[in-house]
Amino acid sequence: MGSFRLAKINRLSDGFALAGYTLYSVYACMLFHSPTAISSFTPFGEISTFWFLIALLTGRVCGYVFYSLFPSRRAAPRHAQMALLVISVLALLGFVVVGMALSFSSMVFDVAKTLPWLCVGAFVLGGADAALVVGLLGRLVAFGLRNSYLFLVVSNIVAVLAYYVLTFLPRFLSFPVAALFFFLALASLLCDRGTATDQSKSEYSAPCFRGAFSRLWRPMLGVSTLGFMAGLMLQISGREEIALEAFQQSSVFSSLLLYVVLLVVALALPKNVDLGRIYQASIPISAVSFLLLPLVWNSAGGIVNSFANLGFMLALLVLTCLVVEVARDTGAPVFPLLGIAYVVAYLSQWGGMIVGFRNASSIGRGTLTLTAIALVSVYLLTVLSLALFKDKGFRGFETESVVRGRDHFHSARAEGASCGERCDEIAEAHGFTEREREIVRYLGQGNTIHAVSERLYISESTVKYHVKSIYQKLGIHTRQELIDMIAQGVEEPRG
């Protein structure tokens, strides 16, 4: 237990901002993981609930796309304050429109008349939601990998427990309470003044982004597949026939069990968590839901839907940790990386919901179509597992190019030259400082920027500053070029 120390939170404001993720997670449980919030005014039917969730996801995707395409590089505090103001206005508008639509729907006989307004409000709310998530998770760059993982797991445990307590509230309070948690999470960001500054220090270059995505494409592929499966299961599992209380209990207890297991596993490990192995568990969890689908259907409180959602949630948690670590290691801006990762995740879930909704009427318990869907889904998940884990490259945080470069370097060593000798030759030829000489040795051995900072007891920003100077002196742009240069011997400057 003693290893769970958020030692790298150097400012109290960062603690408030990260605690905001717990508050946000409670809101997300009420609005996304079950129809708790929108059932607070009137019992919505299947179609209304579906379009509400579709509008929310569409707003989320649009918000993440905006963050991906138009990241802010400015460090002035007023820009961060303006962004928070915009999020606040959008969220307030979304909650007001959704609340009014829910209120009026109980006064009219035709719920379809208020459905467009409900969807408009949900879309606006989804956009504000995306901005809040990116802002909250961007703070994890200040943490180590293990602490980021532990914080996300513990935050979700607290959020699930809080959500379970809130399910006992009168239904008419559910939506206002969800709004309260959202604005409390948003208020936590006001305590942090460092976001824009940290973002401005990131490197906006094509080589930097290529290096980041060379390490992210496989986990993104897995998350997109599991997101599609979760969205599909949500529509074909007959969830609308399950009592809300049973659905809530199934969701709460399955989620709580998953996060507790993740916490125990992490605390039992003395070193960094192996995210690759944890990610692998998400695929069989999702596969179990489809194996049980023809047998269980919507019995046991919708447990099959819970399993599919758990697989997606687990993969998304691992992807979040991986994105933050890659941003911290490569110097790539974390906001657009998070935005792109979450666009992939929720766009695939959106697609799965659309496909499931269009075909739900032809699917029922005991039908041949249901059995075929279950078998095909299990087959696809098996193929996905083989594709993602055909080698060990995904388990670590190294690019395949770094692994190849390290192998190339070892072959060079076999010919008689050591890493230190190669690096010293390059350093001497290009006029490196003593600190640059130390850093290039570690980089040549395949160490990450984070590992170099820990070995030399200096900040990562300092390491990145020296790496940039090293690249300029060598006339290169990527770590792979550096490793190739070390493996091949001293080269003349390229300009």
Side-chain angles (χ1 to χ4, degrees):
M1 286 277 186
S3 61
F4 182 35
R5 293 178 293 119
L6 303 183
K8 292 191 177 182
I9 302 182
N10 299 318
R11 296 170 296 183
L12 183 61
S13 59
D14 282 342
F16 280 115
L18 289 171
Y21 180 74
T22 304
L23 298 170
Y24 165 80
S25 298
V26 178
Y27 149 82
C29 286
M30 301 184 71
L31 209 62
F32 289 94
H33 296 172
S34 78
T36 301
I38 65 170
S39 66
S40 57
F41 288 81
T42 183
F44 261 55
E46 173 191 359
I47 295 179
S48 299
T49 302
F50 168 78
W51 286 114
F52 174 80
L53 293 176
I54 285 293
L56 272 174
L57 285 176
T58 304
R60 265 186 162 184
V61 169
C62 290
Y64 291 131
V65 167
F66 180 84
Y67 257 97
S68 303
L69 298 179
F70 305 101
S72 174
R73 307 185 192 186
R74 300 178 180 180
R78 65 177 180 275
H79 295 294
Q81 295 171 358
M82 182 62 68
L84 291 176
L85 178 61
V86 172
I87 297 173
S88 302
V89 172
L90 288 176
L92 182 61
L93 178 62
F95 277 114
V96 168
V97 173
V98 171
M100 291 179 64
L102 291 173
S103 299
F104 289 141
S105 64
S106 61
M107 303 177 187
V108 298
F109 294 102
D110 188 4
V111 178
K113 292 181 179 180
T114 61
L115 184 58
W117 290 103
L118 183 70
C119 291
V120 169
F123 176 83
V124 174
L125 191 57
D129 172 273
L132 178 60
V133 170
V134 172
L136 289 170
L137 293 179
R139 275 60 178 186
L140 291 176
V141 175
F143 285 62
L145 172 63
R146 178 180 175 82
N147 284 335
S148 298
Y149 172 85
L150 285 171
F151 177 84
L152 290 175
V153 171
V154 172
S155 296
N156 279 286
I157 290 176
V158 175
V160 171
L161 291 174
Y163 168 63
Y164 179 69
V165 173
L166 293 174
T167 59
F168 294 99
L169 289 175
R171 286 195 177 185
F172 71 90
L173 291 177
S174 297
F175 188 75
V177 169
L180 174 63
F181 274 94
F182 182 94
F183 283 107
L184 287 175
L186 183 59
S188 69
L189 292 181
L190 295 173
C191 301
D192 190 352
R193 306 294 184 183
T195 302
T197 302
D198 294 338
Q199 183 76 348
S200 67
K201 294 179 181 177
S202 300
E203 182 180 348
Y204 292 79
S205 65
C208 187
F209 278 105
R210 283 198 300 268
F213 284 108
S214 68
R215 297 163 63 175
L216 292 174
W217 74 266
R218 272 199 276 181
M220 282 187 182
L221 174 63
V223 167
S224 65
T225 304
L226 295 175
F228 182 88
M229 296 296 188
L232 180 69
M233 179 66 77
L234 188 65
Q235 299 302 315
I236 68 175
S237 61
R239 181 180 60 83
E240 70 279 356
E241 301 173 9
I242 306 171
L244 177 61
E245 292 76 12
F247 188 85
Q248 288 172 334
Q249 292 181 5
S250 173
S251 176
V252 166
F253 291 122
S254 58
S255 300
L256 187 60
L257 177 61
L258 171 68
Y259 290 124
V260 169
V261 170
L262 293 178
L263 179 62
V264 171
V265 169
L267 294 178
L269 297 176
K271 297 182 180 180
N272 273 344
V273 180
D274 190 340
L275 293 185
R277 292 188 181 276
I278 295 175
Y279 193 99
Q280 281 181 298
S282 64
I283 296 178
I285 289 175
S286 183
V288 166
S289 67
F290 285 93
L291 287 174
L292 294 177
L293 183 61
L295 304 175
V296 179
W297 185 234
N298 58 4
S299 304
I303 192 65
V304 293
N305 180 74
S306 296
F307 270 102
N309 195 47
L310 287 180
F312 175 53
M313 289 164 51
L314 176 57
L316 190 58
L317 184 146
V318 172
L319 178 60
T320 301
C321 292
L322 182 56
V323 167
V324 172
E325 181 70 6
V326 167
R328 195 161 59 92
D329 181 34
T330 63
V334 65
F335 287 172
L337 288 184
L338 282 171
I340 293 171
Y342 277 60
V343 164
V344 171
Y346 290 114
L347 191 59
S348 61
Q349 187 182 26
W350 184 92
M353 290 180 63
I354 293 290
V355 172
F357 181 76
R358 290 177 61 87
N359 297 278
S361 59
S362 61
I363 300 173
R365 186 169 191 171
T367 62
L368 182 61
T369 304
L370 183 65
T371 304
I373 289 176
L375 293 177
V376 170
S377 298
V378 172
Y379 172 76
L380 290 176
L381 290 172
T382 303
V383 172
L384 175 67
S385 179
L386 294 175
L388 292 180
F389 304 103
K390 62 181 178 180
D391 54 48
K392 298 182 179 180
F394 173 72
R395 293 186 179 181
F397 287 102
E398 299 175 332
T399 62
E400 293 180 1
S401 60
V402 171
V403 175
R404 290 196 302 270
R406 182 181 293 174
D407 292 341
H408 188 187
F409 168 73
H410 287 320
S411 66
R413 288 191 64 180
E415 299 174 359
S418 70
C419 176
E421 292 171 347
R422 296 283 194 184
C423 292
D424 287 343
E425 291 175 2
I426 294 175
E428 190 70 28
H430 295 85
F432 285 2
T433 65
E434 186 60 30
R435 179 64 79 185
E436 290 171 348
R437 186 188 298 263
E438 292 177 325
I439 291 176
V440 81
R441 286 177 180 175
Y442 285 121
L443 293 177
Q445 295 170 356
N447 287 284
T448 64
I449 289 179
H450 174 57
V452 174
S453 70
E454 290 191 339
R455 288 174 181 268
L456 297 179
Y457 301 98
I458 57 178
S459 68
E460 292 183 26
S461 60
T462 301
V463 176
K464 291 175 184 177
Y465 171 81
H466 288 298
V467 169
K468 184 177 181 180
S469 176
I470 290 170
Y471 285 179
Q472 288 176 343
K473 290 180 179 180
L474 296 178
I476 60 177
H477 302 283
T478 65
R479 189 183 305 175
Q480 178 58 39
E481 293 179 272
L482 174 62
I483 292 175
D484 289 341
M485 183 178 291
I486 295 172
Q488 295 169 7
V490 181
E491 295 182 1
E492 293 297 324
R494 303 184 184 181

